Amino acid sequence: MDNEQTLEKKVKRNIFWDRFTYIFIAALLAVSVLFSCFVLYQKFYFSTTWVSGQSMYPYLNSEVTNNGKKRTDGDVRLGDKNLDLVLVDNHENVMNSLNRFDIVIVNIDNAYDVIKRLIVLPGETFYFGSGDQQGELFVKNKNGTFDLIPQPIERKYLKEGDYEKYQNPDNPTTLSDSEYFVCGDNRGHSGDSRSKGPFERKNLKGVVVALIGHCDATTNSNSSITYTNVSYSWPRFIKSWVSKYIGFPAIWKRPLSKLKISLSLLIVPLNF
């Protein structure tokens, strides 16, 4: 009798571990397939680029260091570490549904690209505040009065830089139906529409949808600055619709644990 009970227990134990093993392997395969699909989708649907310079600090490139010291301003420098790596979507459906405060890629004079935040949309009339309201954005509403539009930027960064051309409430600026006004978050260290004027829709080349890792600045054989030491992270989604369809939070302060993966991605620099 005892032998039969012992044998029965062994059989049940073996069945349990067999089932556990099958379930574990199936789950592992499912996760691997899903991850592979995500990586392939990322590679072939989006473009990937690294962010150089500090005009979007602290939202982007908040962890950049050089010689062990944190950098909060200036263009990219040789030896910069922890430059942000981002995904960019340039598909027509996305470019036709731009929202205020989207982070976009802007082409300057067909010469180089910069990354900025959309502040004022086509057809809007606006001005920036002065004095105690330095840098605050006022946009004309349907009633003909001006609304204060809260910006997702710390006050200490908003009040920096020159707004002089756009600070007269008696002579506000009106954009055409194809113009966008863009600014860097780090207003005191950004060349943007305040000095270059509004940009046409044709100059907008893509929307930044997620931060996916970091890289370091180095030189190539032509002595120009390029990237190296790429490390990929759990994505921090920036464009809110991505979270809606993929199911991740729209804004995480920083990516979670770094995940190294071997991929050959097309990466091009963004200047400031």
Side-chain angles (χ1 to χ4, degrees):
M1 186 69 177
D2 290 339
N3 290 336
E4 290 180 357
Q5 289 179 342
T6 302
L7 180 61
E8 184 179 354
K9 288 181 180 180
K10 287 183 177 180
V11 170
K12 288 182 178 179
R13 189 181 301 116
N14 289 337
I15 292 174
F16 170 79
W17 283 112
D18 285 345
R19 289 177 178 175
F20 177 82
T21 302
Y22 293 148
I23 293 172
F24 178 78
I25 292 174
L28 187 62
L29 287 173
V31 170
S32 300
V33 170
L34 287 173
F35 182 74
S36 299
C37 290
F38 178 78
V39 169
L40 290 173
Y41 181 71
Q42 166 186 304
K43 174 165 176 64
F44 294 107
Y45 188 84
F46 298 107
S47 60
T48 308
T49 187
W50 57 284
V51 182
S52 64
Q54 297 302 93
S55 78
M56 284 298 294
Y57 179 88
Y59 195 79
L60 294 176
N61 275 0
S62 65
E63 299 178 2
V64 174
T65 60
N66 196 302
N67 291 324
K69 296 181 179 179
K70 188 171 184 177
R71 289 197 54 227
T72 61
D73 56 50
D75 296 329
V76 64
R77 299 172 188 169
L78 183 62
D80 279 352
K81 297 183 179 299
N82 293 322
L83 296 165
D84 283 345
L85 195 67
V86 296
L87 288 183
V88 179
D89 192 336
N90 58 8
H91 291 84
E92 200 65 25
N93 62 318
V94 173
M95 300 306 295
N96 287 336
S97 58
L98 296 172
N99 298 310
R100 193 190 316 278
F101 305 135
D102 279 350
I103 298 176
V104 295
I105 312 301
V106 185
N107 182 261
I108 309 293
D109 300 326
N110 293 318
Y112 59 94
D113 293 340
V114 298
I115 181 169
K116 306 295 176 185
R117 191 184 293 276
L118 286 181
I119 301 298
V120 187
L121 302 175
E124 291 187 329
T125 299
F126 73 100
Y127 69 91
F128 288 101
S130 57
D132 292 339
Q133 293 183 315
Q134 174 78 0
E136 297 287 2
L137 174 65
F138 294 86
V139 176
K140 195 173 186 177
N141 58 35
K142 294 180 180 179
N143 297 323
T145 58
F146 285 85
D147 294 328
L148 171 62
I149 307 297
Q151 301 176 70
I153 304 163
E154 291 183 51
R155 184 79 185 93
K156 64 180 180 180
Y157 297 108
L158 277 182
K159 65 183 182 180
E160 295 179 350
D162 181 16
Y163 296 88
E164 186 176 356
K165 292 181 181 179
Y166 302 98
Q167 286 184 303
N168 187 352
D170 297 323
N171 185 28
T173 300
T174 300
L175 300 183
S176 74
D177 290 339
S178 62
E179 290 182 324
Y180 293 83
F181 197 94
V182 303
C183 292
D185 287 2
N186 197 3
R187 298 288 168 86
H189 304 278
S190 174
D192 47 45
S193 288
R194 291 171 298 162
S195 58
K196 302 178 184 299
F199 290 94
E200 293 284 335
R201 164 65 180 80
K202 64 183 180 181
N203 294 105
L204 305 185
K205 301 302 181 183
V207 179
V208 175
V209 296
L211 190 156
I212 60 168
H214 298 88
C215 59
D216 300 338
T218 186
T219 57
N220 57 22
S221 58
N222 298 322
S223 298
S224 59
I225 294 180
T226 185
Y227 71 94
T228 189
N229 296 331
V230 177
S231 63
Y232 293 91
S233 312
W234 192 259
R236 168 170 65 107
F237 290 104
I238 294 171
K239 181 79 173 170
S240 59
W241 59 261
V242 176
S243 136
K244 177 179 178 182
Y245 293 108
I246 298 183
F248 291 103
I251 47 173
W252 285 325
K253 288 186 177 180
R254 299 303 305 169
L256 301 181
S257 59
K258 291 186 176 180
L259 177 63
K260 304 260 184 174
I261 53 178
S262 298
L263 287 175
S264 175
L265 294 174
L266 175 61
I267 303 176
V268 294
L270 291 177
N271 301 304
F272 282 73

